[in-house]
Amino acid sequence: MALKDLHDVSRRVIEGKRVCVSSFVLPWPVLGRGAEHHPVPTLQHLLRAHDENVVVDGIFGPRTEAAVRVFQASRQLAVDGIVGPQSWQALIISVGRGSTGEAVRGVQEEFQARNLSGDPSRGLQVDGIFGPRTEGAVNAFQEAVGIDVDGIVGPITWRALVSGMLLG
């Protein structure tokens, strides 16, 4: 699915009506050991953004769990190695045009997960630079899911992305 098609998908999903964001955005996913694929790579990028040494491989194994536990302890969260709403809210970093780094890679990873072409080169590149293509993807996604279009990936947009909204 191309990003330009996101708006058409949203019309089918919400039947052309703008809905209240708080009632429409899916809840934060709950991840623990054994989880694989989306949104594990995004989680791993966010952990790296907080200086946790974890490989981005899409597998929530013992190393990712250990990094989650260290992160949770550093933020005075319940240390259980499970990423739920409180951990996600502490992990996310608002990013927008001009931002760089692992949090941006996490955003870009979300759009690669939505690239249904089967060809990673046709999707948004995961380069850690929040430039015009990333901003355009964010704007299109925000419009498609019916949230305020501002080009910034803040808490609501992060939640919509990692919860899997508009994911094939």
Side-chain angles (χ1 to χ4, degrees), residues 126-154:
V126 181
D127 62 7
I129 301 167
F130 200 119
R133 290 193 69 209
T134 301
E135 183 178 38
V138 169
N139 286 337
F141 178 80
Q142 289 172 327
E143 182 177 0
V145 298
I147 59 180
D148 290 337
V149 178
D150 62 6
I152 296 169
V153 183

Side-chain angles (χ1 to χ4, degrees), residues 4 22 40 45 48 61 63 69 72 76-77 82 98 100 109 114 117 119 121 123 137 154 157:
K4 65 184 178 191
S22 63
V40 177
H45 282 296
R48 290 174 62 86
R63 290 184 180 154
R69 288 178 178 276
Q72 289 170 328
Q76 290 79 47
L77 300 171
I82 297 170
T100 60
E109 191 76 52
R114 287 163 176 80
S117 73
D119 179 1
S121 69
T157 303

Side-chain angles (χ1 to χ4, degrees), residues 4 16 35 44 46 54 70 89 98 113 133 143:
K4 65 184 178 191
Q44 292 167 328
L46 287 169
V54 64
V70 168
Q89 290 172 40
R133 290 193 69 209
E143 182 177 0

Side-chain angles (χ1 to χ4, degrees), residues 11 15 48 50 89 105-106:
R11 276 195 226 127
E15 299 174 2
R48 290 174 62 86
H50 289 282
Q89 290 172 40
R105 283 184 174 87

Side-chain angles (χ1 to χ4, degrees), residues 9-29:
V9 170
S10 72
R11 276 195 226 127
R12 289 195 307 267
V13 172
I14 61 175
E15 299 174 2
K17 298 178 184 174
R18 194 161 174 90
V19 295
C20 176
V21 170
S22 63
S23 65
F24 183 68
V25 175
L26 297 174
W28 294 102

Side-chain angles (χ1 to χ4, degrees), residues 41-153:
T42 302
L43 164 64
Q44 292 167 328
H45 282 296
L46 287 169
L47 286 166
R48 290 174 62 86
H50 289 282
D51 298 320
E52 297 302 329
N53 186 16
V54 64
V55 174
V56 179
D57 62 4
I59 299 169
F60 196 126
R63 290 184 180 154
T64 298
E65 181 181 22
V68 167
R69 288 178 178 276
V70 168
F71 175 79
Q72 289 170 328
S74 75
R75 298 300 191 276
Q76 290 79 47
L77 300 171
V79 179
D80 58 8
I82 297 170
V83 181
Q86 290 182 336
S87 293
W88 279 114
Q89 290 172 40
L91 277 164
I92 61 169
I93 298 168
S94 290
V95 293
R97 189 140 190 202
S99 298
T100 60
E102 291 292 335
V104 174
R105 283 184 174 87
V107 169
Q108 293 166 334
E109 191 76 52
E110 285 295 321
F111 289 107
Q112 265 299 338
R114 287 163 176 80
N115 172 14
L116 301 180
S117 73
D119 179 1
S121 69
R122 293 187 62 195
L124 190 65
Q125 296 305 296
V126 181
D127 62 7
I129 301 167
F130 200 119
R133 290 193 69 209
T134 301
E135 183 178 38
V138 169
N139 286 337
F141 178 80
Q142 289 172 327
E143 182 177 0
V145 298
I147 59 180
D148 290 337
V149 178
D150 62 6
I152 296 169
V153 183

